[in-house]
């Protein structure tokens, strides 16, 4: 059994919870409960006849739970950075997360997501600015909408598969252990 820890980060209200709900259960709700503490949902993906469990952690925005967010990042493998294309501030705030990531988790695999592209009329961040930023931080990138869904599930499945390809193959090469420790470590979070 192999666990991969995925953590969603980004300002409150950008749509982290909605994106996770859409990915896991293909649902969208206009009135999402605000996220008070982290919870995780699991998505299983097969790669080379072996089952991998992507444990997807939701977090609250940075204002309220800065210290907690640091705890949630323990042993992270994949970080999904989310901004709202209609809120410039949510894009600028990504720098805060990046500083935190570079300090503690420089090897994390990054994914950048510009959410709410159904509201493109209110756009404040150009798609090309998202792409440029993704190039700088060497991350995968998409614009999407938790509301309209269109490419989101396929995008994330694809990125997770690429991650497995990369990690499993490099593991074969140098027997680097990228995950199994998480089985124990995740117990630390059960109280949240
Ligand atoms: P979080 O604080 O980052 O977890 O954001 P939520 O998932 O709670 O979403 C905040 C608000 O934005 C809620 O009212 C959602 O219904 C709404 N929302 C989330 N994603 C989208 C989207 O893609 N398009 C639109 N129009 N609204 C969205
Ligand atoms: Mg939330």
């Amino acid at each position: 059994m192999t666990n991969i820890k995925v953590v969603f980060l980004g300002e409150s209200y950008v749509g982290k919870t909605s994106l996770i709900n859409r990915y896991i259960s293909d649902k969208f709700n206009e009135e999402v409960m605000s996220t008070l503490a982290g919870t995780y949902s699991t998505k299983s993906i097969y790669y080379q006849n072996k089952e991998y469990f992507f444990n997807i952690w939701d977090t609250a925005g940075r204002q309220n739970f800065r210290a907690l967010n640091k705890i949630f990042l323990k042993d992270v493998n994949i970080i999904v950075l989310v901004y709202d294309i209609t809120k410039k501030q949510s894009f600028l705030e990504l720098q805060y997360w990046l500083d935190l990531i570079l300090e503690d988790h420089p090897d994390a695999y990054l994914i950048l997501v510009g959410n709410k592209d159904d509201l493109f009329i209110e756009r404040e961040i150009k798609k090309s600015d998202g792409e440029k930023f993704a190039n700088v931080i060497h991350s995968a990138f998409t614009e999407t909408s938790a509301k309209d869904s269109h490419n989101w599930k396929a995008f994330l499945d694809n990125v997770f598969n690429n991650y497995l390809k990369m990690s499993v193959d490099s593991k074969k090469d140098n027997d680097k252990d990228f995950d199994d420790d998480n089985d124990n470590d995740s117990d630390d979070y059960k109280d949240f």
Side-chain angles (χ1 to χ4, degrees):
M1 186 166 102
T2 304
N3 284 286
I4 292 145
K5 183 173 178 184
V6 183
V7 179
F8 275 62
L9 297 177
E11 197 183 25
S12 292
Y13 217 68
V14 295
K16 298 178 296 297
T17 303
S18 300
L19 285 166
I20 294 169
N21 288 345
R22 173 63 81 184
Y23 180 64
I24 297 284
S25 51
D26 201 18
K27 286 194 185 114
F28 179 79
N29 191 337
E30 295 283 349
E31 283 154 43
V32 189
M33 293 272 287
S34 79
T35 312
L36 290 179
T39 47
Y40 74 82
S41 322
T42 299
K43 160 87 181 186
S44 109
I45 294 183
Y46 281 87
Y47 182 74
Q48 293 178 350
N49 297 324
K50 189 168 169 192
E51 189 173 21
Y52 293 88
F53 297 93
F54 286 77
N55 298 317
I56 303 178
W57 289 75
D58 199 358
T59 63
R62 76 169 173 128
Q63 295 86 346
N64 303 330
F65 289 101
R66 189 189 161 118
L68 262 190
N69 283 325
K70 246 181 155 8
I71 295 170
F72 287 132
L73 282 171
K74 187 167 180 279
D75 298 321
V76 69
N77 300 111
I78 299 176
I79 296 174
V80 185
L81 287 167
V82 184
Y83 65 95
D84 172 346
I85 67 155
T86 73
K87 296 269 167 2
K88 188 170 185 184
Q89 188 56 34
S90 73
F91 186 70
L92 298 177
E93 269 209 15
L94 294 177
Q95 191 59 48
Y96 160 87
W97 294 113
L98 262 189
D99 292 344
L100 201 94
I101 292 164
L102 289 177
E103 196 177 302
D104 295 344
H105 308 280
D107 296 332
Y109 188 87
L110 301 182
I111 303 171
L112 180 66
V113 178
N115 190 35
K116 306 200 187 180
D117 79 346
D118 57 293
L119 303 176
F120 60 90
I121 294 168
E122 300 164 44
R123 178 190 284 282
E124 289 184 3
I125 297 296
K126 285 187 275 183
K127 186 171 185 183
S128 59
D129 287 336
E131 281 164 351
K132 270 185 218 154
F133 191 60
N135 277 334
V136 170
I137 66 175
H138 305 293
S139 72
F141 172 69
T142 192
E143 282 191 346
T144 192
S145 160
K147 187 171 183 177
D148 287 355
S149 178
H150 57 111
N151 63 346
W152 172 237
K153 192 175 177 303
F155 169 82
L156 204 55
D157 278 339
N158 188 39
V159 172
F160 285 173
N161 272 296
N162 284 341
Y163 176 80
L164 286 177
K165 218 177 278 172
M166 189 193 77
S167 312
V168 173
D169 291 349
S170 82
K171 194 173 175 177
K172 268 189 216 135
D173 287 346
N174 55 20
D175 206 35
K176 187 170 156 241
D177 186 10
F178 72 97
D179 57 40
D180 287 327
D181 294 338
N182 282 0
D183 293 324
N184 301 324
D185 292 346
S186 61
D187 289 346
D188 298 346
Y189 304 113
K190 286 217 171 106
D191 293 338
F192 285 108

